Amino acid sequence: MSILFSPLTIRSLTLRNRLWVSPMCMYSAEDGVVQEWHHTHLTQFASGGAGLIIAEATAVVPEGRISPRDAGIWTDEQRDAWAPIVEAIHDRGAAAGIQLAHAGRKASTWWPWADEQGSVPAAQGGWTTVAPSAIAFQGFAEPEALDTAGIDALVTAFADAAKRAVDAGFDVLELHGAHGYLLHEFLSPLSNRRDDDYGGSLGNRARLLLRVIDAVREAAGATVPLFVRISATDHAEGGFTPDEAAQVGGWATEHGADLIDVSSGGLVAHQQISVFPGYQVPLAESVRQGGRIPVSAVGLITAAEQAEQVLVDGAADAIFAGREWLRDPHFALRAAHELGADVAWPPQYDRAHWR
């Protein structure tokens, strides 16, 4: 019996399998409002058998967008644009999640296929970025260091966004604490040089993340699953480490998180990463064992047997994939077929089920 295609219950939600779609930015929103592209993009994965689909990094304030084309959920109009997408995902048997995010010092940048790269000037729609300390990401504009009032306002913004997400029908909330964005910037000593209650010790560097978890849990209620994506290492000397990640993951679950989505990197341009199939799985296993907490694994997991083996080995409790879903929106149906797992197929696709 396939573990990958066994159900998983988290709080009030039972997911039909453990092969999930990672949040992937589409850079196709207008003033933070998602469009028809997002509807087609996300619902195809539900038809393809995904257990959970987490929508892209979605900014909790305008200044939290990675680019001017990023999705948002700081207004009711944005909430209402998400609602029919969530409904369509549900109609196809999958659960819908959203990643609540603030890009910090990596905000206000051009989208990947723009003619220019780096920070967007104010005259062209950009804005001043914020961070724990006034240290720029290489090639980007210098951010302003957040004061305590600014930090307090962001905690409130995350809570407000969580309430809108639940009202839009999302089943799962994920906080983006990875890839060099704001919550990760606070966690890492490479980007956090503060000398107040939010800097220095690991407990201080994790303070903002834990405050956000508390606020989001209160806003979302006791039944909604809450994930936290972290970069378990900065892949750079003096940065955030797997041991620290396990500790922070443990604290996160004590504060109301249910699963740690383990990724890595993204904080500094000089990172040194050795990339190979499943290269981040050992990090997930380290956080899972060190923090004694549920985790998901992600990173070049592209084949059914590979994903299954990660779960058989006890390295993770679920699998996120990104690029493989872009290559094959029916990745879960294909994986189930290859593993011989008896799962429900859309009747329109049944001719490909066993034959």
Side-chain angles (χ1 to χ4, degrees), residues 73 79 86 98 100 160-173:
I73 195 163
R79 174 202 63 198
V86 173
I98 188 170
L100 304 178
D160 290 345
K163 179 63 167 58
R164 287 193 180 93
V166 172
D167 289 346
F170 282 104
D171 307 291
V172 173
L173 306 180

Side-chain angles (χ1 to χ4, degrees), residues 187-210:
L187 289 173
S188 176
L190 296 178
S191 48
N192 184 344
R193 306 286 175 81
R194 300 175 72 96
D195 57 8
D196 63 1
D197 289 344
Y198 293 91
S201 69
L202 179 61
N204 281 355
R205 286 182 275 124
R207 189 180 304 276
L208 175 57
L209 173 62
L210 299 180

Side-chain angles (χ1 to χ4, degrees), residues 1-5 17-20 48-51 301-309 311 319 321 324-325 328-343 345 352-354:
M1 183 175 182
S2 167
I3 300 176
L4 189 64
F5 288 96
N17 63 49
R18 302 173 187 230
L19 183 54
W20 304 341
I301 299 173
T302 60
E305 290 186 2
Q306 177 195 19
E308 179 76 16
Q309 195 62 48
L311 303 184
I319 302 296
E324 191 61 23
W325 284 103
D328 179 5
H330 305 111
F331 180 30
L333 297 181
R334 171 167 56 85
H337 180 75
E338 291 174 358
L339 293 172
D342 188 9
V343 301
W345 282 51
H353 189 179
W354 293 115

